[in-house]
Amino acid sequence: MSSPLKCFKQLFVFIAVFFRKSKLRLTPLTKTEVVKRLLDLAVVKVGNSERVVLVFFDLKCPFCAKLFKETEELLVDMANRGLITYAMCDYVVHRDAEPLHRMLRCISEKERLKFVRDAFEGKRVEIGNCPEGNLRICEKMAEELGVIGTPTLLFYHLAKGKGYIHFGYISPTEILEAISSL
């Protein structure tokens, strides 16, 4: 029979392993044509590099807001310097976000990042009556990649025809690590 002390040690080891900080989990992906189509449909697109960072987001998702606030400046700067293509594709999870996403597609491309920034900062944004546009097409294509929620990040190298997908929030450091793995 096991002693109570031995059982306690085994339980402690299990808890320590279960709750330890997880490493970055990137799922390999090879769907170049789907990625190219998503880039065409993306509501926000900055840069034109073979290395792609595509974020599936919902304007009412708190972790999407956290991710955006922490990484927007970095990713836009990298895209402007030609290091990556930074894109954002709608994946509406919260029903009350649908009018925001439709409006985002109705405004000029130059104003979209500001609209996203304002929405994520909780500022009042003007919502007009806009058609749905490509909103559902992005979601269907995202599901082809296995996307089931937000935020989801896709890291892809178009020339190599391979990349990775990550489900959930990750830190700016982990994003840089994923980009460098391309």
Side-chain angles (χ1 to χ4, degrees), residues 129-149:
N129 193 7
C130 294
E132 189 169 302
N134 293 328
L135 192 58
R136 299 294 175 225
I137 296 171
C138 278
E139 289 177 15
K140 286 187 188 319
M141 296 201 72
E143 288 166 0
E144 284 185 45
L145 301 176
V147 175
I148 56 170

Side-chain angles (χ1 to χ4, degrees), residues 35 39 49-55 83-87 154-158 164 179 182:
V35 173
L39 285 173
S49 172
E50 293 290 315
R51 292 163 51 160
V52 174
V53 177
L54 186 133
V55 179
L83 300 173
I84 63 169
T85 299
Y86 171 50
L154 172 72
F155 304 95
Y156 206 84
H157 197 294
L158 293 169
Y164 306 96
I179 292 169
L182 295 174

